[in-house]
Amino acid sequence: MLAIFRRSVLAVALIAVIFGTACSETEVVAEKDPIVFSDLNWTSAQFQNRVAQYIVEKGYGYPTDLVFGATLPLLQGLRRGDTHVTMEIWLPNQEDAWVDALAAGDVELVGESLGRDWQSAFVIPAYLQEQYPELDSVEDLKEEKYKALFATVETRGKARLVSCVIGWVCEEINAEQIEAYGLSDHVHVINPGDGAAANADLYGAYERGEPWLGYQWGTNDPAAELELVRLKEPEYSDECWATTKACAYRDATISIAVYRDIPDRAPDIVEMLRAWNLNLELYKDVGKWRLENRDASINETALWWLKSNVSVWSGWVTPEAAEAIKSALDANEIPDGWPKA
């Protein structure tokens, strides 16, 4: 009887140990709080978010989520901890707000994404400059014959210029440049509501072979897919930018930032982001693929890229994470934090 009792006690103890271990393992997973990404409203940032989300969820077991918005509101959200990772901090565009956030200890730079990129408010299609080779400078926009190329009924003789999206930092910068160049009486500024509207405006004009003037940057879809030309501007200088802004943008450095608690809360994710190297050359392949697959969503683009570039992203993660991500890709798994396409 005593032996039976002892065996029963042992069995109960073993069950308790097994159950306790299972609960403990479950709790470890459950203790991983979500990593929330700043879903900036342009393609390259959203694409990088989807790739990072896949890696974070499938490789490291953290839930992910997104907060959609424009540059400055999302930077403030990052400072408050409403979001935890921003894959594209554009400097010097966001420099003033970024310096404040850094000085307050709210944020931390952990790596670079995409590298360096150009931008300009004065871009035209290459076919237009072939027709008008003398149209090669911002100063030419003051001439009546060139203004007339871009004028519409709504602009009343001024050149229509599709500038920066409402709420982006470049909205204010472009306005300052136009004033500084003495173009206020010569151009009529259109500020689109979002990046998709700005891109559609350019794509439509390009397909029709019409004149178009406006803001673009190197990693944007049209810039990666179409033949575009930047009108000449005075070269950037620190003095010019600090005073009038009557000069070209400095090439931007695109960096990755995290909320202040992430290095302690998720050091494995920070280590992965420090190794991140989705540079401009790699991103050009994304632009080409999207050109050939017009109906593909950002989610589908990220899934294609992850499957096609295992040798790239596996260098950013631990061997264990790489195996888990590969298995998830083979099974066509989708992260819970991705927006519904």
Side-chain angles (χ1 to χ4, degrees):
M1 180 66 72
L2 181 61
I4 293 172
F5 175 76
R6 286 175 176 169
R7 284 199 296 271
S8 299
V9 170
L10 181 60
V12 170
L14 285 172
I15 291 171
V17 169
I18 293 169
F19 182 73
T21 301
C23 287
S24 175
E25 289 176 355
T26 302
E27 286 169 4
V28 169
V29 174
E31 284 174 2
K32 289 189 174 182
D33 293 328
I35 303 292
V36 181
F37 287 80
S38 304
D39 211 31
L40 294 157
N41 52 358
W42 60 85
T43 301
S44 62
Q46 292 177 356
F47 166 76
Q48 291 201 91
N49 278 352
R50 304 303 180 271
V51 172
Q53 284 180 276
Y54 204 103
I55 290 170
V56 169
E57 280 198 29
K58 302 302 181 181
Y60 293 91
Y62 290 82
T64 71
D65 205 349
L66 297 163
V67 174
F68 179 79
T71 310
L72 289 177
L74 284 180
L75 178 54
Q76 293 307 312
L78 185 69
R79 294 188 65 171
R80 293 190 301 266
D82 297 337
T83 69
H84 308 125
V85 179
T86 299
M87 295 300 294
E88 293 194 16
I89 295 288
W90 283 62
L91 300 173
N93 292 38
Q94 299 170 247
E95 198 156 37
D96 291 344
W98 175 255
V99 168
D100 287 345
L102 202 59
D106 296 334
V107 294
E108 183 177 329
L109 282 181
V110 296
E112 284 193 5
S113 68
L114 299 181
R116 298 178 71 83
D117 194 15
W118 65 265
Q119 57 191 309
S120 174
F122 306 97
V123 175
I124 62 174
Y127 59 73
L128 189 64
Q129 195 176 61
E130 289 175 4
Q131 297 174 48
Y132 301 93
E134 293 82 13
L135 174 58
D136 62 0
S137 164
V138 292
E139 289 298 313
D140 295 329
L141 297 173
K142 297 175 183 178
E143 296 188 30
E144 292 300 326
K145 63 179 178 180
Y146 296 129
K147 282 197 295 185
L149 282 176
F150 305 103
T152 67
V153 174
E154 292 78 11
T155 66
R156 299 183 179 181
K158 293 184 178 182
R160 180 178 184 269
L161 187 149
V162 182
S163 189
C164 188
V165 171
I166 295 169
W168 291 5
V169 176
C170 51
E171 179 188 7
E172 182 177 338
I173 292 174
N174 292 357
E176 291 183 57
Q177 284 187 310
I178 288 166
E179 178 70 25
Y181 286 141
L183 290 173
S184 298
D185 293 333
H186 305 283
V187 300
H188 176 86
V189 176
I190 304 291
N191 291 111
D194 57 34
N199 289 353
D201 197 278
L202 173 51
Y203 280 128
Y206 202 96
E207 289 170 3
R208 295 187 296 270
E210 296 175 351
W212 189 89
L213 171 69
Y215 174 73
Q216 280 294 303
W217 65 99
T219 54
N220 197 26
D221 287 352
E225 298 169 4
L226 308 177
E227 293 295 326
L228 303 175
V229 174
R230 286 180 277 169
L231 298 181
K232 294 176 184 175
E233 302 175 68
E235 289 187 8
Y236 171 90
S237 72
D238 290 343
E239 181 182 359
C240 163
W241 206 252
T243 54
T244 64
K245 289 189 171 58
C247 55
Y249 276 87
R250 186 175 83 192
D251 282 355
T253 300
I254 309 166
S255 300
I256 304 170
V258 298
Y259 180 57
R260 63 187 175 213
D261 77 343
I262 295 301
D264 291 331
R265 176 160 76 83
D268 46 358
I269 300 306
V270 170
E271 184 177 356
M272 181 271 291
L273 293 173
R274 290 192 192 283
W276 191 273
N277 186 30
L278 208 166
N279 56 43
L280 281 173
E281 287 304 310
L282 288 169
Y283 190 72
K284 285 179 182 177
D285 293 335
V286 176
K288 292 174 184 175
W289 189 84
R290 284 179 60 79
L291 183 61
E292 296 168 358
N293 298 271
R294 288 285 192 186
D295 295 330
S297 67
I298 299 294
N299 293 3
E300 290 166 335
T301 304
L303 206 56
W304 160 79
W305 191 87
L306 284 160
K307 290 181 177 181
S308 304
N309 292 273
V310 174
S311 62
V312 176
W313 58 257
S314 61
W316 310 339
V317 303
T318 63
E320 296 79 12
E323 287 306 313
I325 296 163
K326 289 175 192 174
S327 296
L329 289 169
D330 289 342
N332 288 315
E333 293 180 14
I334 302 299
D336 292 334
W338 273 8
K340 304 307 177 192

